[in-house]
Amino acid sequence: MKQIWTGAALIMAVVAGTGAADAQKASSAITKALADPARTDQQGDDARRKAADVLAFSGVKPGNVVVDYLPGAGYWTRIFTGIVGPKGHVYAIWPAAGAKYAETSLPALQARGLGNVTAEVQPTNLPTSPRPVDVFWTAQNYHDIPNKGAGEPALRAFDAAVFRMLRRGGTYIVIDHADASGSGMGGTETRHRIDPAAVKAQVQAAGFKFVGESTVLRNPADDHSKAVFDPAIRGQTDQFVYKFRKP
């Protein structure tokens, strides 16, 4: 009986660590931020991005200091600003090497006058922040870091920088397009995908503890063979959402 119970407990622990997060209810702060009338122009994308589920999984809450790395048009930044509230802060940052991606979206984000948001192109390629961070968030960008010959050394440097920025117990969220199991970083520059196992190993090697995965963006119909910009799969790619914690 002891062996049976031990096995059952182990199975339950695995399920709790991977699937329970998908059923996690969004907090009132998340619900309110998503319903903000100022987001009318982007709310149509919330269902596809599974925004409520992903944010609930992340654990972001009022008062947090959040970094939105390579924020694109500011989709997540504009949600974070409402969640963290006046006692929190959001840093929407582009690295120096990614300045061209901020040419349009940075002025537009700054023009919104969000009092708890600092949006900027940083003078360095590795991310920094002026104070300890509660949540470091990067969506669909991790696979770009090793490109153009940068390889694993660039990932090691990046993850180490994130580790330094986070307070003890801080959370590191990585959302990205999944590549086939065993592919490693072979498709990062061509298909713009990365093997989830490679990400997990890389981040854990930097000293982070793997907390779990949300499967809400998984799509078994995606066979991982197409580039993420292929019209046949664009907007519907198989994506993983990993959560790590700084011990």
Side-chain angles (χ1 to χ4, degrees):
M1 285 295 292
K2 182 178 181 180
Q3 289 180 331
I4 293 174
W5 169 248
T6 301
L10 178 61
I11 291 172
M12 289 176 70
V14 170
V15 171
T18 58
D22 297 340
Q24 195 169 340
K25 185 178 179 180
S27 67
S28 59
I30 292 173
T31 301
K32 183 178 178 180
L34 290 172
D36 187 346
R39 294 189 56 251
T40 302
D41 61 311
Q42 63 177 193
Q43 285 167 340
D45 211 24
D46 291 351
R48 180 182 67 82
R49 291 176 180 257
K50 305 290 184 184
D53 296 302
V54 175
L55 290 162
F57 172 69
S58 76
V60 63
K61 60 186 179 181
N64 276 175
V65 175
V66 178
V67 169
D68 188 6
Y69 180 74
L70 276 168
Y75 173 84
W76 294 110
T77 295
R78 290 172 57 194
I79 300 174
F80 289 140
T81 185
I83 297 173
V84 304
K87 294 184 179 180
H89 201 84
V90 183
Y91 293 93
I93 61 174
W94 289 259
K100 65 179 181 180
Y101 300 111
E103 290 176 356
T104 300
S105 46
L106 176 55
L109 194 54
Q110 290 174 330
R112 291 186 175 277
L114 302 172
N116 61 354
V117 172
T118 298
E120 63 181 6
V121 175
Q122 297 198 312
T124 59
N125 285 329
L126 289 177
T128 62
S129 66
R131 52 175 153 166
V133 172
D134 295 291
V135 180
F136 187 99
W137 179 285
T138 180
Q140 301 175 347
N141 296 308
Y142 194 86
H143 71 270
D144 289 319
I145 297 169
N147 291 343
K148 297 182 180 179
E152 286 193 29
L155 287 173
R156 287 195 293 270
F158 183 84
D159 291 331
V162 175
F163 193 91
R164 289 191 295 270
M165 293 167 66
L166 284 167
R167 66 169 178 81
R168 187 175 181 181
T171 301
Y172 184 10
I173 299 292
V174 180
I175 304 171
D176 217 330
H177 306 284
D179 209 342
S181 177
S183 62
M185 296 187 297
T188 60
E189 206 156 1
T190 53
R191 296 184 297 278
H192 295 274
R193 300 173 178 268
I194 191 167
D195 183 352
V199 175
K200 186 187 295 186
Q202 192 74 46
V203 177
Q204 287 179 313
F208 287 95
K209 179 183 178 182
F210 178 67
V211 177
E213 174 186 11
S214 171
T215 60
V216 295
L217 292 176
R218 285 294 198 174
N219 178 13
D222 177 5
D223 65 7
H224 307 123
S225 64
K226 298 179 178 65
V228 301
F229 303 115
D230 188 308
I233 198 65
R234 187 168 190 173
Q236 305 172 52
T237 56
D238 180 28
Q239 296 180 51
F240 59 94
V241 183
Y242 277 173
K243 178 160 65 171
F244 303 89
R245 182 162 294 130
K246 178 177 177 177

